[in-house]
Amino acid sequence: MTARRKVRSRLWSPLVVLALAGTALTGLTVDAQAAPAPINLNSASCPAAISQGESDGCVAELQRLLNLYGQSITVDGVFGPGTYAGVRVFQSQSGIAVDGVVGPVTKNALYNGSGSAGAPARVDLASALCPVDVTVGEKDGCVTELQDLLNQHGATLTVDGDFGQATLSAVKTFQSGAGLAADGIVGPETKTALYRGGVSQGRRGPTCARRPAPRSCGRARSTAV
């Protein structure tokens, strides 16, 4: 081997070593950034309200669920701006107060909400397509809308468009809190109260100060939805 070739060999050997080392480090970095395993949002391992800045398996599950509703979020377990925006879009589409915080109502909607298969499309309760009085036993988009609205006021109903006993109980609870006759029938006054924050037009309901939680007091709802 000539002297020139020996010099070149000595120069290239350290470069090869450095290149191999860099490749190995890159591989370690990719492994370190792998997304955590998804954790059911209703488990004790997840906080009651998941918010921006959290990084764990609860967020990975949240991202997975949001993608089932047509979004394209990278599932990395990091609740960043992209996930925050995705949560707000989902809340808006589901008729939930849009605050970007994943609380009990948003979790319920993600697992069983208005976007789930089988639920009839929502129909405005004031439209001609809905009866004057929506009552137990009805199954249609009017009930889907009713259940969504009740969830906005603190209920945790499965939104399936079926006016069963759970929906009946939630209607009575809402009516009682809004100062209406708690008969479980969703008539004009109850519809108005559902859309206008929980106080009927014909009656004066309890003030926010007297209620245990301000969820149904107009815009002063809890942020952990």
Side-chain angles (χ1 to χ4, degrees):
M1 181 182 292
T2 65
R4 181 175 294 178
R5 288 181 178 176
K6 288 181 180 181
V7 172
R8 287 180 178 176
S9 177
R10 290 173 182 172
L11 289 173
W12 279 104
S13 295
L15 294 176
V16 172
V17 172
L18 289 173
L20 292 174
T23 301
L25 288 173
T26 300
L28 291 174
T29 301
V30 171
D31 292 339
Q33 293 177 346
I39 300 174
N40 189 291
L41 300 182
N42 293 317
S43 75
S45 299
C46 294
I50 303 171
S51 57
Q52 190 170 8
E54 185 169 340
S55 300
D56 53 26
C58 304
V59 179
E61 172 73 350
L62 168 62
Q63 293 167 328
R64 182 189 71 81
L65 290 168
L66 288 171
N67 286 343
L68 292 178
Y69 287 91
Q71 302 197 37
S72 55
I73 299 170
T74 300
V75 181
D76 56 7
V78 178
F79 198 138
T83 301
Y84 177 74
V87 169
R88 290 176 64 86
V89 168
F90 173 79
Q91 290 173 325
S92 177
Q93 292 174 341
S94 300
I96 300 171
V98 179
D99 59 6
V101 179
V102 184
V105 175
T106 301
K107 291 178 184 179
N108 180 73
L110 282 164
Y111 283 116
N112 304 297
S114 57
S116 61
R122 291 164 50 181
V123 178
D124 191 297
L125 296 177
S127 77
L129 297 175
C130 291
V132 174
D133 293 327
V134 182
T135 58
V136 67
E138 187 168 340
K139 297 180 181 180
D140 53 26
C142 304
V143 181
T144 301
E145 173 78 345
L146 169 63
Q147 292 168 328
D148 273 333
L149 289 168
L150 288 169
N151 283 346
Q152 292 181 52
H153 289 281
T156 55
L157 297 169
T158 296
V159 181
D160 55 8
D162 186 351
F163 197 141
Q165 291 303 310
T167 301
L168 175 64
S169 177
V171 169
K172 289 182 176 181
T173 297
F174 172 78
Q175 289 173 323
S176 178
L180 300 168
D183 57 8
I185 298 173
V186 184
E189 285 194 352
T190 300
K191 293 176 183 178
T192 298
L194 283 164
Y195 284 116
R196 296 198 177 184
V199 179
S200 68
Q201 290 288 309
R203 306 170 188 233
R204 182 171 181 154
T207 63
C208 293
R210 296 178 184 175
R211 297 182 186 176
R215 184 178 299 278
S216 59
C217 298
R219 295 186 179 179
R221 298 175 183 165
S222 169
T223 56
V225 295

